Amino acid sequence: MNLSYWEQQSWLSNIDFTIIGSGIVGLNTALNLKARFPKASILILERGILPNGASTKNAGFACFGSLSEIIDDLNSHSEMEVLDLIKRRTEGLKLLRKNLGDEAIDFKCYGGYEFFLPEDDDTYDQCLSGMSRINELLRPLFQEDVFTTRTNTFGFKNIKEPLIYNKFEAQINTGKMMEALLQKVYSAGIKILNSITVQEFSEANSSVEVKTDKFDFSTKKLLVTTNGFASQFGISEVKPARAQVLITKPIPDLKIKGTFHLDKGYYYFRNIDNRILFGGGRNLDLKTEETTEMFQTELIQNKLEELLSTNILPDTQYQIDRRWSGIMGVGNQKGPVLKQHSENVYFGVRLGGMGVAIGSLIGKELADLV
Ligand SMILES: Cc1cc2nc3c(=O)[nH]c(=O)nc-3n(C[C@H](O)[C@H](O)[C@H](O)COP(=O)(O)OP(=O)(O)OC[C@H]3O[C@@H](n4cnc5c(N)ncnc54)[C@H](O)[C@@H]3O)c2cc1C
């Protein structure tokens, strides 16, 4: 692509900070850099026509961990580590709400529920017996019991009862959140170029040379926020994890309201605009789902439909409106990879399944590393 003199001068010269990726982390990093360095020239490069990873694809749970997930995490992390993870998620959610405002993101605190199938006997019993221990662990953060039980008033069938309830869990409108964030970025005078894929970069004399599929240029600092795609740049601690979703058409008199988790967080559903959004099932075929290809598979979509018609909407007529998938970044540890990679290159990746919660915080911390 032959850029004109003007294009080169106005968009690709004297760039202080270049960010790869316009997801929650990339956009928050840009805003925090602008706040610290108001005169800096900041450029965001995004491979998609819209952000094309997880931030515009997710389920919009404003959550910090279901009871079974927290109990499971205690098998591989210490109590202090688990408490710290949850603290960071709640702090991240506060920051998201403060930055954008509850109205702009449609923040609704309808509460969250955990839902167990008959075959989840052991996990259900562990949750009931471990509930008071976890409530005590979380008391310093919430000052009251987080987890209680509630009767099933939603018409779910063939599940263990009562449900486990978390009154602090909320939901947001993912599309509105990303629109509000993008609007803030544009208003701050930060440039975004879409449909540009960064292919490689290299350090060179106090700057970084960046090669894209359309042009090459130089930037003083480079910040990589490509999450599930980070292994492209040699970050082996991050693996892609595809997450598949479906949404129904509007259902008259839908009684289901809230965010719902099943199977240690591997499945999740919520109400939105009188519809049910339902995702998950990656654990049915972890190997195939370790991919950056945004497709759906019959295996997982069929399982989602089976759970929908058997357990979630057993007596309700519904139609599927749309299906999609997004790519998360996961690894052996739950925390993100936040680090200076070389003299002028920084990484903020591996947000796992909680990027709505921690994305704003990681963007701030990445900007503070520079
Ligand atoms: C289906 C699904 C449901 C989820 N549900 C929830 C939820 O309910 N609650 C929650 O907290 N979290 C949820 N998550 C996780 C959350 O969405 C992510 O953790 C978060 O969005 C990660 O943000 P990010 O900015 O790090 O990454 P991303 O949003 O993936 O952003 C990375 C960006 O980098 C771009 N990119 C990649 N490579 C290149 C390149 N070479 N050149 C240019 N651009 C590039 C991508 O196109 C992408 O836009 C869900 C994720 C998915 C997929």
Side-chain angles (χ1 to χ4, degrees), residues 20-26 45-47 51-55 57-61 196-198 225-227 229 232-233 243 245 268 326-328 351-357:
I20 317 179
S22 70
I24 302 175
V25 177
L45 299 176
E46 166 58 52
R47 70 185 189 119
N52 196 19
S55 296
K57 318 279 187 188
N58 64 60
F61 283 36
I196 305 291
T197 300
V198 175
T225 63
T226 58
N227 197 34
F229 304 82
Q232 178 202 347
F233 301 121
V245 182
Y268 40 88
I327 308 298
M328 302 184 289
L351 278 277
M354 293 276 175
V356 171

mmCIF file of all heavy atoms in Angstrom, residues 20-26 45-47 51-55 57-61 196-198 225-227 229 232-233 243 245 268 326-328 351-357, ligand 1:
data_model
loop_
_atom_site.group_PDB
_atom_site.id
_atom_site.type_symbol
_atom_site.label_atom_id
_atom_site.label_comp_id
_atom_site.label_asym_id
_atom_site.label_seq_id
_atom_site.Cartn_x
_atom_site.Cartn_y
_atom_site.Cartn_z
ATOM 1 N N ILE A 20 -1.526 -2.522 20.158
ATOM 2 C CA ILE A 20 -2.088 -3.516 19.227
ATOM 3 C C ILE A 20 -3.298 -4.147 19.902
ATOM 4 O O ILE A 20 -3.166 -4.779 20.958
ATOM 5 C CB ILE A 20 -1.081 -4.629 18.851
ATOM 6 C CG1 ILE A 20 0.307 -4.064 18.570
ATOM 7 C CG2 ILE A 20 -1.601 -5.428 17.663
ATOM 8 C CD1 ILE A 20 1.326 -5.143 18.219
ATOM 9 N N GLY A 21 -4.480 -3.967 19.285
ATOM 10 C CA GLY A 21 -5.708 -4.551 19.822
ATOM 11 C C GLY A 21 -6.616 -3.493 20.422
ATOM 12 O O GLY A 21 -6.175 -2.706 21.271
ATOM 13 N N SER A 22 -7.887 -3.465 19.995
ATOM 14 C CA SER A 22 -8.824 -2.466 20.526
ATOM 15 C C SER A 22 -9.909 -3.118 21.369
ATOM 16 O O SER A 22 -11.083 -2.761 21.294
ATOM 17 C CB SER A 22 -9.449 -1.643 19.396
ATOM 18 O OG SER A 22 -10.343 -2.447 18.642
ATOM 19 N N GLY A 23 -9.523 -4.112 22.189
ATOM 20 C CA GLY A 23 -10.461 -4.695 23.156
ATOM 21 C C GLY A 23 -10.506 -3.819 24.404
ATOM 22 O O GLY A 23 -9.966 -2.704 24.430
ATOM 23 N N ILE A 24 -11.139 -4.337 25.453
ATOM 24 C CA ILE A 24 -11.276 -3.564 26.701
ATOM 25 C C ILE A 24 -9.910 -3.107 27.190
ATOM 26 O O ILE A 24 -9.732 -1.970 27.616
ATOM 27 C CB ILE A 24 -11.929 -4.431 27.816
ATOM 28 C CG1 ILE A 24 -13.289 -4.956 27.388
ATOM 29 C CG2 ILE A 24 -12.067 -3.637 29.106
ATOM 30 C CD1 ILE A 24 -13.922 -5.914 28.388
ATOM 31 N N VAL A 25 -8.927 -3.992 27.119
ATOM 32 C CA VAL A 25 -7.604 -3.658 27.671
ATOM 33 C C VAL A 25 -6.912 -2.595 26.813
ATOM 34 O O VAL A 25 -6.393 -1.605 27.331
ATOM 35 C CB VAL A 25 -6.734 -4.929 27.809
ATOM 36 C CG1 VAL A 25 -5.337 -4.565 28.301
ATOM 37 C CG2 VAL A 25 -7.376 -5.906 28.775
ATOM 38 N N GLY A 26 -6.924 -2.785 25.492
ATOM 39 C CA GLY A 26 -6.259 -1.824 24.608
ATOM 40 C C GLY A 26 -6.845 -0.425 24.765
ATOM 41 O O GLY A 26 -6.116 0.566 24.879
ATOM 42 N N LEU A 45 -4.002 -0.065 16.696
ATOM 43 C CA LEU A 45 -4.176 -0.861 15.471
ATOM 44 C C LEU A 45 -5.045 -2.069 15.794
ATOM 45 O O LEU A 45 -4.796 -2.786 16.767
ATOM 46 C CB LEU A 45 -2.816 -1.338 14.954
ATOM 47 C CG LEU A 45 -1.835 -0.229 14.576
ATOM 48 C CD1 LEU A 45 -0.501 -0.841 14.168
ATOM 49 C CD2 LEU A 45 -2.398 0.642 13.451
ATOM 50 N N GLU A 46 -6.060 -2.294 14.988
ATOM 51 C CA GLU A 46 -7.008 -3.381 15.243
ATOM 52 C C GLU A 46 -7.209 -4.175 13.954
ATOM 53 O O GLU A 46 -7.514 -3.587 12.910
ATOM 54 C CB GLU A 46 -8.332 -2.785 15.752
ATOM 55 C CG GLU A 46 -9.524 -3.727 15.743
ATOM 56 C CD GLU A 46 -9.315 -5.008 16.556
ATOM 57 O OE1 GLU A 46 -8.938 -4.917 17.731
ATOM 58 O OE2 GLU A 46 -9.529 -6.112 15.992
ATOM 59 N N ARG A 47 -7.100 -5.481 14.051
ATOM 60 C CA ARG A 47 -7.209 -6.314 12.839
ATOM 61 C C ARG A 47 -8.645 -6.374 12.310
ATOM 62 O O ARG A 47 -8.873 -6.579 11.126
ATOM 63 C CB ARG A 47 -6.680 -7.721 13.108
ATOM 64 C CG ARG A 47 -7.576 -8.496 14.013
ATOM 65 C CD ARG A 47 -7.095 -9.860 14.435
ATOM 66 N NE ARG A 47 -8.196 -10.505 15.123
ATOM 67 C CZ ARG A 47 -8.787 -11.619 14.759
ATOM 68 N NH1 ARG A 47 -8.334 -12.293 13.732
ATOM 69 N NH2 ARG A 47 -9.805 -12.099 15.419
ATOM 70 N N PRO A 51 -13.693 -4.374 17.048
ATOM 71 C CA PRO A 51 -12.818 -5.213 17.879
ATOM 72 C C PRO A 51 -13.185 -6.677 17.629
ATOM 73 O O PRO A 51 -14.366 -7.021 17.598
ATOM 74 C CB PRO A 51 -13.164 -4.774 19.304
ATOM 75 C CG PRO A 51 -13.705 -3.380 19.151
ATOM 76 C CD PRO A 51 -14.415 -3.364 17.820
ATOM 77 N N ASN A 52 -12.182 -7.532 17.441
ATOM 78 C CA ASN A 52 -12.509 -8.883 16.960
ATOM 79 C C ASN A 52 -11.828 -9.984 17.771
ATOM 80 O O ASN A 52 -11.143 -10.840 17.227
ATOM 81 C CB ASN A 52 -12.122 -8.976 15.478
ATOM 82 C CG ASN A 52 -12.767 -10.160 14.800
ATOM 83 O OD1 ASN A 52 -13.763 -10.715 15.305
ATOM 84 N ND2 ASN A 52 -12.213 -10.577 13.679
ATOM 85 N N GLY A 53 -12.014 -9.923 19.105
ATOM 86 C CA GLY A 53 -11.472 -10.982 19.970
ATOM 87 C C GLY A 53 -12.542 -11.452 20.920
ATOM 88 O O GLY A 53 -13.352 -12.327 20.567
ATOM 89 N N ALA A 54 -12.570 -10.864 22.124
ATOM 90 C CA ALA A 54 -13.551 -11.257 23.145
ATOM 91 C C ALA A 54 -14.430 -10.093 23.606
ATOM 92 O O ALA A 54 -15.564 -10.302 24.019
ATOM 93 C CB ALA A 54 -12.823 -11.830 24.357
ATOM 94 N N SER A 55 -13.913 -8.866 23.504
ATOM 95 C CA SER A 55 -14.587 -7.754 24.195
ATOM 96 C C SER A 55 -15.955 -7.401 23.622
ATOM 97 O O SER A 55 -16.801 -6.872 24.341
ATOM 98 C CB SER A 55 -13.687 -6.521 24.188
ATOM 99 O OG SER A 55 -12.517 -6.788 24.918
ATOM 100 N N LYS A 57 -17.812 -9.792 22.130
ATOM 101 C CA LYS A 57 -18.459 -11.098 21.912
ATOM 102 C C LYS A 57 -18.975 -11.697 23.219
ATOM 103 O O LYS A 57 -19.636 -12.724 23.208
ATOM 104 C CB LYS A 57 -17.450 -12.114 21.340
ATOM 105 C CG LYS A 57 -16.522 -11.583 20.273
ATOM 106 C CD LYS A 57 -17.183 -11.540 18.929
ATOM 107 C CE LYS A 57 -16.174 -11.162 17.861
ATOM 108 N NZ LYS A 57 -16.825 -10.936 16.580
ATOM 109 N N ASN A 58 -18.574 -11.105 24.354
ATOM 110 C CA ASN A 58 -18.785 -11.809 25.627
ATOM 111 C C ASN A 58 -20.222 -11.751 26.129
ATOM 112 O O ASN A 58 -21.097 -11.158 25.501
ATOM 113 C CB ASN A 58 -17.811 -11.289 26.691
ATOM 114 C CG ASN A 58 -18.044 -9.844 27.017
ATOM 115 O OD1 ASN A 58 -19.117 -9.471 27.453
ATOM 116 N ND2 ASN A 58 -17.036 -9.024 26.767
ATOM 117 N N ALA A 59 -20.453 -12.380 27.297
ATOM 118 C CA ALA A 59 -21.815 -12.531 27.814
ATOM 119 C C ALA A 59 -22.230 -11.376 28.709
ATOM 120 O O ALA A 59 -23.385 -11.311 29.124
ATOM 121 C CB ALA A 59 -21.905 -13.854 28.578
ATOM 122 N N GLY A 60 -21.295 -10.498 29.045
ATOM 123 C CA GLY A 60 -21.641 -9.316 29.842
ATOM 124 C C GLY A 60 -21.964 -9.613 31.293
ATOM 125 O O GLY A 60 -22.748 -8.898 31.915
ATOM 126 N N PHE A 61 -21.345 -10.652 31.858
ATOM 127 C CA PHE A 61 -21.505 -10.909 33.291
ATOM 128 C C PHE A 61 -20.547 -9.984 34.049
ATOM 129 O O PHE A 61 -19.343 -9.983 33.760
ATOM 130 C CB PHE A 61 -21.114 -12.351 33.650
ATOM 131 C CG PHE A 61 -22.135 -13.406 33.305
ATOM 132 C CD1 PHE A 61 -22.913 -13.316 32.162
ATOM 133 C CD2 PHE A 61 -22.293 -14.511 34.128
ATOM 134 C CE1 PHE A 61 -23.832 -14.302 31.841
ATOM 135 C CE2 PHE A 61 -23.212 -15.501 33.829
ATOM 136 C CZ PHE A 61 -23.989 -15.406 32.691
ATOM 137 N N ILE A 196 -6.244 -3.547 10.257
ATOM 138 C CA ILE A 196 -4.782 -3.575 10.137
ATOM 139 C C ILE A 196 -4.281 -4.688 11.052
ATOM 140 O O ILE A 196 -4.486 -4.636 12.274
ATOM 141 C CB ILE A 196 -4.150 -2.238 10.613
ATOM 142 C CG1 ILE A 196 -4.741 -1.034 9.883
ATOM 143 C CG2 ILE A 196 -2.629 -2.287 10.496
ATOM 144 C CD1 ILE A 196 -4.382 -0.934 8.423
ATOM 145 N N THR A 197 -3.619 -5.673 10.479
ATOM 146 C CA THR A 197 -3.058 -6.761 11.291
ATOM 147 C C THR A 197 -1.564 -6.550 11.454
ATOM 148 O O THR A 197 -0.837 -6.414 10.459
ATOM 149 C CB THR A 197 -3.313 -8.122 10.601
ATOM 150 O OG1 THR A 197 -4.718 -8.285 10.463
ATOM 151 C CG2 THR A 197 -2.744 -9.273 11.404
ATOM 152 N N VAL A 198 -1.122 -6.496 12.701
ATOM 153 C CA VAL A 198 0.320 -6.395 12.945
ATOM 154 C C VAL A 198 0.924 -7.781 12.736
ATOM 155 O O VAL A 198 0.434 -8.774 13.296
ATOM 156 C CB VAL A 198 0.610 -5.876 14.371
ATOM 157 C CG1 VAL A 198 2.106 -5.903 14.656
ATOM 158 C CG2 VAL A 198 0.051 -4.469 14.529
ATOM 159 N N THR A 225 -1.907 -5.752 23.427
ATOM 160 C CA THR A 225 -3.088 -6.161 24.206
ATOM 161 C C THR A 225 -3.948 -7.083 23.340
ATOM 162 O O THR A 225 -5.140 -6.856 23.160
ATOM 163 C CB THR A 225 -3.894 -4.923 24.669
ATOM 164 O OG1 THR A 225 -4.383 -4.218 23.517
ATOM 165 C CG2 THR A 225 -3.049 -3.987 25.498
ATOM 166 N N THR A 226 -3.314 -8.101 22.785
ATOM 167 C CA THR A 226 -4.023 -8.979 21.846
ATOM 168 C C THR A 226 -4.547 -10.262 22.514
ATOM 169 O O THR A 226 -5.032 -11.161 21.829
ATOM 170 C CB THR A 226 -3.116 -9.361 20.659
ATOM 171 O OG1 THR A 226 -1.942 -9.993 21.184
ATOM 172 C CG2 THR A 226 -2.701 -8.157 19.845
ATOM 173 N N ASN A 227 -4.454 -10.336 23.822
ATOM 174 C CA ASN A 227 -5.079 -11.403 24.617
ATOM 175 C C ASN A 227 -4.919 -12.814 24.022
ATOM 176 O O ASN A 227 -3.816 -13.334 23.978
ATOM 177 C CB ASN A 227 -6.555 -11.039 24.843
ATOM 178 C CG ASN A 227 -7.186 -11.824 25.961
ATOM 179 O OD1 ASN A 227 -6.514 -12.137 26.935
ATOM 180 N ND2 ASN A 227 -8.452 -12.152 25.846
ATOM 181 N N PHE A 229 -4.610 -13.910 21.219
ATOM 182 C CA PHE A 229 -3.800 -13.999 19.999
ATOM 183 C C PHE A 229 -2.321 -13.748 20.305
ATOM 184 O O PHE A 229 -1.507 -13.626 19.391
ATOM 185 C CB PHE A 229 -4.291 -12.972 18.962
ATOM 186 C CG PHE A 229 -5.754 -13.112 18.639
ATOM 187 C CD1 PHE A 229 -6.725 -12.553 19.464
ATOM 188 C CD2 PHE A 229 -6.174 -13.821 17.523
ATOM 189 C CE1 PHE A 229 -8.076 -12.688 19.191
ATOM 190 C CE2 PHE A 229 -7.519 -13.958 17.240
ATOM 191 C CZ PHE A 229 -8.475 -13.398 18.077
ATOM 192 N N GLN A 232 1.093 -15.354 18.927
ATOM 193 C CA GLN A 232 1.637 -14.926 17.618
ATOM 194 C C GLN A 232 2.937 -14.141 17.824
ATOM 195 O O GLN A 232 3.830 -14.148 16.978
ATOM 196 C CB GLN A 232 0.602 -14.027 16.912
ATOM 197 C CG GLN A 232 1.067 -13.488 15.584
ATOM 198 C CD GLN A 232 0.310 -12.225 15.139
ATOM 199 O OE1 GLN A 232 -0.733 -11.867 15.694
ATOM 200 N NE2 GLN A 232 0.837 -11.564 14.131
ATOM 201 N N PHE A 233 3.030 -13.454 18.984
ATOM 202 C CA PHE A 233 4.213 -12.645 19.257
ATOM 203 C C PHE A 233 5.121 -13.320 20.289
ATOM 204 O O PHE A 233 5.857 -12.669 21.028
ATOM 205 C CB PHE A 233 3.796 -11.247 19.737
ATOM 206 C CG PHE A 233 2.945 -10.507 18.738
ATOM 207 C CD1 PHE A 233 1.682 -10.071 19.061
ATOM 208 C CD2 PHE A 233 3.420 -10.273 17.445
ATOM 209 C CE1 PHE A 233 0.893 -9.403 18.134
ATOM 210 C CE2 PHE A 233 2.638 -9.605 16.506
ATOM 211 C CZ PHE A 233 1.371 -9.173 16.849
ATOM 212 N N ALA A 243 -14.835 -19.514 22.742
ATOM 213 C CA ALA A 243 -16.070 -19.654 23.521
ATOM 214 C C ALA A 243 -17.241 -19.420 22.573
ATOM 215 O O ALA A 243 -17.298 -18.390 21.901
ATOM 216 C CB ALA A 243 -16.094 -18.643 24.658
ATOM 217 N N VAL A 245 -21.378 -19.142 21.605
ATOM 218 C CA VAL A 245 -22.568 -18.545 22.221
ATOM 219 C C VAL A 245 -23.754 -18.686 21.269
ATOM 220 O O VAL A 245 -23.570 -18.743 20.054
ATOM 221 C CB VAL A 245 -22.313 -17.035 22.468
ATOM 222 C CG1 VAL A 245 -23.499 -16.368 23.148
ATOM 223 C CG2 VAL A 245 -21.057 -16.811 23.295
ATOM 224 N N TYR A 268 -22.811 -20.678 30.837
ATOM 225 C CA TYR A 268 -23.361 -19.469 31.458
ATOM 226 C C TYR A 268 -24.516 -18.962 30.604
ATOM 227 O O TYR A 268 -24.494 -19.054 29.389
ATOM 228 C CB TYR A 268 -22.262 -18.394 31.578
ATOM 229 C CG TYR A 268 -21.356 -18.335 30.370
ATOM 230 C CD1 TYR A 268 -21.669 -17.552 29.275
ATOM 231 C CD2 TYR A 268 -20.225 -19.125 30.283
ATOM 232 C CE1 TYR A 268 -20.857 -17.531 28.153
ATOM 233 C CE2 TYR A 268 -19.410 -19.124 29.154
ATOM 234 C CZ TYR A 268 -19.746 -18.319 28.102
ATOM 235 O OH TYR A 268 -18.956 -18.328 26.979
ATOM 236 N N GLY A 326 -16.195 -16.177 20.285
ATOM 237 C CA GLY A 326 -15.136 -15.207 20.576
ATOM 238 C C GLY A 326 -13.918 -15.959 21.078
ATOM 239 O O GLY A 326 -14.003 -17.158 21.360
ATOM 240 N N ILE A 327 -12.807 -15.259 21.174
ATOM 241 C CA ILE A 327 -11.562 -15.928 21.580
ATOM 242 C C ILE A 327 -11.059 -15.330 22.885
ATOM 243 O O ILE A 327 -10.823 -14.120 22.975
ATOM 244 C CB ILE A 327 -10.462 -15.771 20.491
ATOM 245 C CG1 ILE A 327 -10.986 -16.204 19.105
ATOM 246 C CG2 ILE A 327 -9.189 -16.527 20.894
ATOM 247 C CD1 ILE A 327 -11.403 -17.658 18.971
ATOM 248 N N MET A 328 -10.894 -16.190 23.889
ATOM 249 C CA MET A 328 -10.331 -15.737 25.168
ATOM 250 C C MET A 328 -8.841 -16.087 25.181
ATOM 251 O O MET A 328 -8.363 -16.858 24.347
ATOM 252 C CB MET A 328 -11.005 -16.470 26.332
ATOM 253 C CG MET A 328 -12.515 -16.267 26.368
ATOM 254 S SD MET A 328 -13.273 -17.029 27.809
ATOM 255 C CE MET A 328 -13.120 -18.763 27.442
ATOM 256 N N LEU A 351 -6.516 -12.516 29.809
ATOM 257 C CA LEU A 351 -7.569 -12.019 30.694
ATOM 258 C C LEU A 351 -8.547 -13.109 31.125
ATOM 259 O O LEU A 351 -9.428 -12.876 31.945
ATOM 260 C CB LEU A 351 -8.345 -10.892 29.988
ATOM 261 C CG LEU A 351 -7.751 -9.485 30.010
ATOM 262 C CD1 LEU A 351 -8.103 -8.786 31.307
ATOM 263 C CD2 LEU A 351 -6.257 -9.424 29.790
ATOM 264 N N GLY A 352 -8.434 -14.312 30.535
ATOM 265 C CA GLY A 352 -9.321 -15.419 30.908
ATOM 266 C C GLY A 352 -10.787 -15.078 30.685
ATOM 267 O O GLY A 352 -11.131 -14.303 29.793
ATOM 268 N N GLY A 353 -11.640 -15.643 31.527
ATOM 269 C CA GLY A 353 -13.089 -15.441 31.364
ATOM 270 C C GLY A 353 -13.618 -14.290 32.193
ATOM 271 O O GLY A 353 -14.821 -14.203 32.446
ATOM 272 N N MET A 354 -12.729 -13.399 32.652
ATOM 273 C CA MET A 354 -13.162 -12.335 33.571
ATOM 274 C C MET A 354 -12.743 -10.954 33.093
ATOM 275 O O MET A 354 -12.557 -10.048 33.908
ATOM 276 C CB MET A 354 -12.539 -12.570 34.961
ATOM 277 C CG MET A 354 -13.044 -13.773 35.661
ATOM 278 S SD MET A 354 -14.583 -13.402 36.529
ATOM 279 C CE MET A 354 -14.976 -15.040 37.119
ATOM 280 N N GLY A 355 -12.578 -10.785 31.795
ATOM 281 C CA GLY A 355 -12.047 -9.513 31.286
ATOM 282 C C GLY A 355 -12.967 -8.324 31.488
ATOM 283 O O GLY A 355 -12.503 -7.185 31.584
ATOM 284 N N VAL A 356 -14.294 -8.577 31.551
ATOM 285 C CA VAL A 356 -15.200 -7.464 31.821
ATOM 286 C C VAL A 356 -14.854 -6.904 33.202
ATOM 287 O O VAL A 356 -14.809 -5.694 33.418
ATOM 288 C CB VAL A 356 -16.680 -7.943 31.783
ATOM 289 C CG1 VAL A 356 -17.619 -6.871 32.282
ATOM 290 C CG2 VAL A 356 -17.060 -8.393 30.380
ATOM 291 N N ALA A 357 -14.567 -7.843 34.129
ATOM 292 C CA ALA A 357 -14.267 -7.434 35.502
ATOM 293 C C ALA A 357 -12.889 -6.783 35.618
ATOM 294 O O ALA A 357 -12.754 -5.734 36.245
ATOM 295 C CB ALA A 357 -14.365 -8.642 36.432
HETATM 296 C C1 LIG B 1 -18.073 -15.761 24.466
HETATM 297 C C2 LIG B 1 -17.367 -15.070 25.593
HETATM 298 C C3 LIG B 1 -18.038 -14.800 26.782
HETATM 299 C C4 LIG B 1 -17.401 -14.113 27.815
HETATM 300 N N1 LIG B 1 -18.142 -13.732 28.889
HETATM 301 C C5 LIG B 1 -17.568 -12.940 29.838
HETATM 302 C C6 LIG B 1 -18.348 -12.411 30.895
HETATM 303 O O1 LIG B 1 -19.564 -12.624 30.945
HETATM 304 N N2 LIG B 1 -17.740 -11.666 31.851
HETATM 305 C C7 LIG B 1 -16.387 -11.406 31.798
HETATM 306 O O2 LIG B 1 -15.863 -10.751 32.708
HETATM 307 N N3 LIG B 1 -15.628 -11.846 30.763
HETATM 308 C C8 LIG B 1 -16.189 -12.593 29.791
HETATM 309 N N4 LIG B 1 -15.444 -13.037 28.740
HETATM 310 C C9 LIG B 1 -14.018 -12.690 28.710
HETATM 311 C C10 LIG B 1 -13.793 -11.238 28.293
HETATM 312 O O3 LIG B 1 -14.601 -10.917 27.188
HETATM 313 C C11 LIG B 1 -12.299 -11.063 27.938
HETATM 314 O O4 LIG B 1 -11.510 -11.441 29.060
HETATM 315 C C12 LIG B 1 -11.957 -9.614 27.572
HETATM 316 O O5 LIG B 1 -12.839 -9.110 26.608
HETATM 317 C C13 LIG B 1 -10.523 -9.557 27.071
HETATM 318 O O6 LIG B 1 -10.267 -8.251 26.621
HETATM 319 P P1 LIG B 1 -8.899 -7.948 25.868
HETATM 320 O O7 LIG B 1 -8.922 -6.513 25.509
HETATM 321 O O8 LIG B 1 -7.750 -8.453 26.677
HETATM 322 O O9 LIG B 1 -8.920 -8.885 24.595
HETATM 323 P P2 LIG B 1 -9.791 -8.828 23.254
HETATM 324 O O10 LIG B 1 -11.096 -8.238 23.456
HETATM 325 O O11 LIG B 1 -9.726 -10.181 22.651
HETATM 326 O O12 LIG B 1 -8.961 -7.800 22.368
HETATM 327 C C14 LIG B 1 -7.807 -8.166 21.634
HETATM 328 C C15 LIG B 1 -7.905 -7.468 20.290
HETATM 329 O O13 LIG B 1 -6.668 -7.639 19.589
HETATM 330 C C16 LIG B 1 -6.964 -7.749 18.213
HETATM 331 N N5 LIG B 1 -5.803 -8.378 17.561
HETATM 332 C C17 LIG B 1 -5.332 -9.620 17.790
HETATM 333 N N6 LIG B 1 -4.224 -9.850 17.058
HETATM 334 C C18 LIG B 1 -3.980 -8.708 16.358
HETATM 335 C C19 LIG B 1 -2.978 -8.314 15.424
HETATM 336 N N7 LIG B 1 -1.975 -9.142 15.083
HETATM 337 N N8 LIG B 1 -3.033 -7.070 14.875
HETATM 338 C C20 LIG B 1 -4.052 -6.208 15.214
HETATM 339 N N9 LIG B 1 -5.023 -6.544 16.103
HETATM 340 C C21 LIG B 1 -4.995 -7.771 16.685
HETATM 341 C C22 LIG B 1 -8.232 -8.602 18.187
HETATM 342 O O14 LIG B 1 -8.931 -8.461 16.983
HETATM 343 C C23 LIG B 1 -8.995 -8.062 19.393
HETATM 344 O O15 LIG B 1 -9.919 -7.040 19.062
HETATM 345 C C24 LIG B 1 -16.035 -13.742 27.701
HETATM 346 C C25 LIG B 1 -15.344 -14.040 26.523
HETATM 347 C C26 LIG B 1 -15.994 -14.671 25.469
HETATM 348 C C27 LIG B 1 -15.240 -14.957 24.209
#
